[in-house]
Amino acid sequence: MPRNNPPAQPPASAAVAAEPLRFGAVPEGAREIEVAVETPINIVYGNMPYAVMMASPSDLEDFVTGFSLTEGIVRGADEIRNVTVEPKDEGVIVTVELAPGRFREHLARRRNLSGRTSCGLCGVETIEEIPMADAAMRASRAVPASAVETALAALDKHQPLNRLTRAVHGAAWCDASGAILAAREDVGRHNALDKLIGARLRAGADASDGFLLVTSRASFEMVEKAAIFGAGTLVAISAPTSLAIERARHLGLTLAAVARRDGCIVFTGALAPEAETIAQ
């Protein structure tokens, strides 16, 4: 897929005037505080507007690549011919040029998705339209528990925007040892995961060589996106939903959640007790 020169994307944080207040103490007065920027991202395929997502205006080529995969619009990054990012006063327009055959198939689909922060299902008109991963795609992989511990300890270092604003989610791809190979941030948890998936797709990386770590809860959509990407293990900082557990079990995906530096809860599948190479 051709890559543009780095577009002049809006900043992901902005300084605003605010007054810190400590109860029972003398007011300190107003000062500048960095907050996360949330911007409408209009995703356009060819000349057809598809969705308006509220997102952080960074890593947008990664975002639309991952979004296109997890929405079922493309099967791989090679079906995206070009991405153009065009900042506007009212938001950002991201135009995606698809391979001709894929664009024709896209035109046959009907979808209405507008103005929702990072929601992966808003606008789907019937249950049958929900993108579904194939259970047959799941292969048995054993991620070492020690690798999850290593990744959790390093995660904060890969979240510069969250350290600055305390307002964004993160998603990371970790190898079998727990080293974080890539990470992306966004105000939306789905967006952060789509950005990460897009980054890995564009790098030509294999989804079988590690696991996903997300800072949000593990919802159905997060499990589905992980499985569509091809990951065998998803680790989440917060708790899972019932449907996420049910779906992960069906897909054969290992789901660990409520992950802290001293442990986690494994809801489906299993983590290897000792450091070892991920089984293929």
Side-chain angles (χ1 to χ4, degrees):
M1 182 182 72
R3 298 192 61 175
N4 298 329
N5 292 327
Q9 299 177 13
S13 70
V16 301
E19 183 176 351
L21 177 64
R22 295 187 181 185
F23 298 118
V26 176
E28 300 176 12
R31 62 182 175 87
E32 286 195 340
I33 293 176
E34 290 288 327
V35 299
V37 170
E38 185 176 28
T39 265
I41 308 297
N42 186 187
I43 301 174
V44 178
Y45 291 99
N47 59 355
M48 302 280 295
Y50 179 78
V52 176
M53 305 295 287
M54 302 303 294
S56 300
S58 59
D59 301 306
L60 293 179
E61 292 188 27
D62 292 339
F63 175 45
V64 296
T65 301
F67 180 87
S68 298
L69 178 77
T70 61
E71 284 283 297
I73 294 169
V74 301
R75 298 188 183 94
D78 59 331
E79 293 182 334
I80 296 176
R81 295 293 175 83
N82 192 51
V83 175
T84 302
V85 177
E86 186 180 5
K88 299 285 189 179
D89 290 340
E90 65 277 12
V92 181
I93 298 174
V94 183
T95 302
V96 183
E97 299 296 337
L98 300 174
R102 178 55 56 200
F103 185 61
R104 286 192 295 271
E105 289 187 29
H106 169 64
L107 291 178
R109 299 179 65 198
R110 185 180 177 190
R111 174 110 159 116
N112 295 303
L113 181 64
S114 179
R116 307 298 181 93
T117 301
S118 74
C119 183
L121 297 179
C122 295
V124 170
E125 295 177 341
T126 68
I127 292 175
E128 289 74 19
E129 287 184 282
I130 298 173
M132 289 286 188
D134 184 354
M137 294 170 60
R138 307 273 65 75
S140 176
R141 301 175 178 89
V143 171
S146 58
V148 174
E149 180 182 13
T150 297
L152 287 166
L155 183 59
D156 185 61
K157 296 177 182 177
H158 294 267
Q159 294 182 270
L161 183 58
N162 191 57
R163 288 200 307 273
L164 188 64
T165 66
R166 297 300 176 187
V168 298
H169 288 290
W173 182 256
C174 317
D175 69 11
S177 71
I180 295 178
L181 303 182
R184 293 293 184 270
E185 297 179 278
D186 198 277
V187 291
R189 57 196 173 91
H190 302 90
N191 298 343
L193 183 52
D194 276 337
K195 285 181 177 180
L196 176 68
I197 290 171
R200 299 301 288 167
L201 287 175
R202 295 175 68 215
D206 191 331
S208 67
D209 65 350
F211 61 97
L212 288 167
L213 173 60
V214 297
T215 62
S216 65
R217 72 179 183 274
S219 62
F220 169 87
E221 303 98 314
M222 300 296 276
V223 167
E224 199 66 24
K225 287 177 184 290
I228 289 171
F229 174 51
T233 298
L234 173 65
V235 180
I237 298 295
S238 296
T241 65
S242 62
L243 190 56
I245 295 170
E246 179 182 330
R247 187 65 179 150
R249 184 175 293 117
H250 172 75
L251 290 168
L253 184 143
T254 294
L255 176 60
V258 197
R260 303 291 184 269
R261 294 192 182 189
D262 61 347
C264 63
I265 301 174
V266 180
F267 289 87
T268 65
L271 298 179
E274 301 294 337
E276 57 188 43
T277 302
I278 295 179
Q280 301 297 322

